[in-house]
Structures are given as structure tokens and as C-alpha cells.
Amino acid sequence: QVQLVESGGGLVQAGDSLTLSCAASGVTFSMTALAWFRQAPGKAREYVAGFSRTGGYSSYGNSVKGRFTISRDSAKKMVWLRMNNLQPEDTAVYYCAASDRVISSSQTRADAYANWGQGTQVTVSA
């Protein structure tokens, strides 16, 4: 059974940094696409960053490129999202997602992921 547990959210000021963590269990890292999504109130779930199933390729949403960095440790079964220069528009609930069936063309789509964590709130004040 796949379980994803996020942590590290909080309230920060604009320009601050924050690192989110996702502890994954029940997954085989070498065969699982892992990603971070976020959802702000009243908005659709948005792709933030993710790794391909093999872990050899990472990608980022346009709004976070150059500010956020995704990383992973297969031995620890952990995925992190380092967020620098946070802005109020980054305020959202951040979710960790996993799928062993997603293909590259659907990697940024939320409906391609079958497994989700409970989410962690990130609030950025101006």
C-alpha cells in the first residue's frame, strides 16, 4: 500500500525559503514518478515539480522555474521540494503524488497520479 506523508509547510514572509519533505512508503523508486502539486483556494491543482518514473528526468512548472528545486533519495524513500524566494502567489496546499503508470506526456497532469499525500499548507505573507 502506497503512503505519502508531507511535512515542512508553514507561514513565511515574501522572499523567504522553505523545504517540504515527502516520506514515501510502498513504492519502488526506480519505477515510480514522484511529483509535487499545489492547490490554492478556488483554483485547480497545479503541477509544481516532478521526477520521471526512472528518476532520470525532472521538470518544473513555469511559475516556479528557477526558484524551486526537487530532489530525492531512493534509499531513504524521500522527496524534497526546496522553495526559494517565496511569493504570496505561492500560497497553497502542497501535495506529494506518486504513480507507477504515468508517462512523460502526462507527467504534469494531476489525474495521472493515483496516490496522494494529505497535503501541507504553505502561506506566504507580503
Side-chain angles (χ1 to χ4, degrees), residues 32-107:
T32 303
L34 295 157
W36 287 96
F37 285 79
R38 67 186 183 186
Q39 189 165 20
K43 294 188 177 181
R45 196 161 291 192
E46 175 191 15
Y47 179 79
V48 176
F51 283 106
S52 60
R53 277 190 297 169
T54 63
Y57 173 76
S58 62
S59 64
Y60 295 88
N62 288 333
S63 61
V64 306
K65 281 181 181 177
R67 298 189 299 126
F68 291 12
T69 303
I70 190 172
S71 59
R72 56 186 265 168
D73 186 318
S74 298
K76 296 180 179 179
K77 293 199 172 181
M78 293 289 296
V79 183
W80 296 276
L81 183 69
R82 175 65 175 178
M83 306 183 293
N84 293 328
N85 191 23
L86 283 160
Q87 300 299 314
E89 53 266 34
D90 295 316
T91 295
V93 178
Y94 284 71
Y95 297 92
C96 182
S99 174
D100 60 0
R101 301 183 181 185
V102 68
I103 57 176
S104 57
S105 61
S106 62
Q107 187 171 337

Side-chain angles (χ1 to χ4, degrees), residues 9-30:
L11 172 64
V12 297
Q13 294 184 331
D16 285 351
S17 298
L18 205 58
T19 298
L20 305 182
S21 301
C22 173
S25 59
V27 301
T28 303
F29 261 50
S30 62

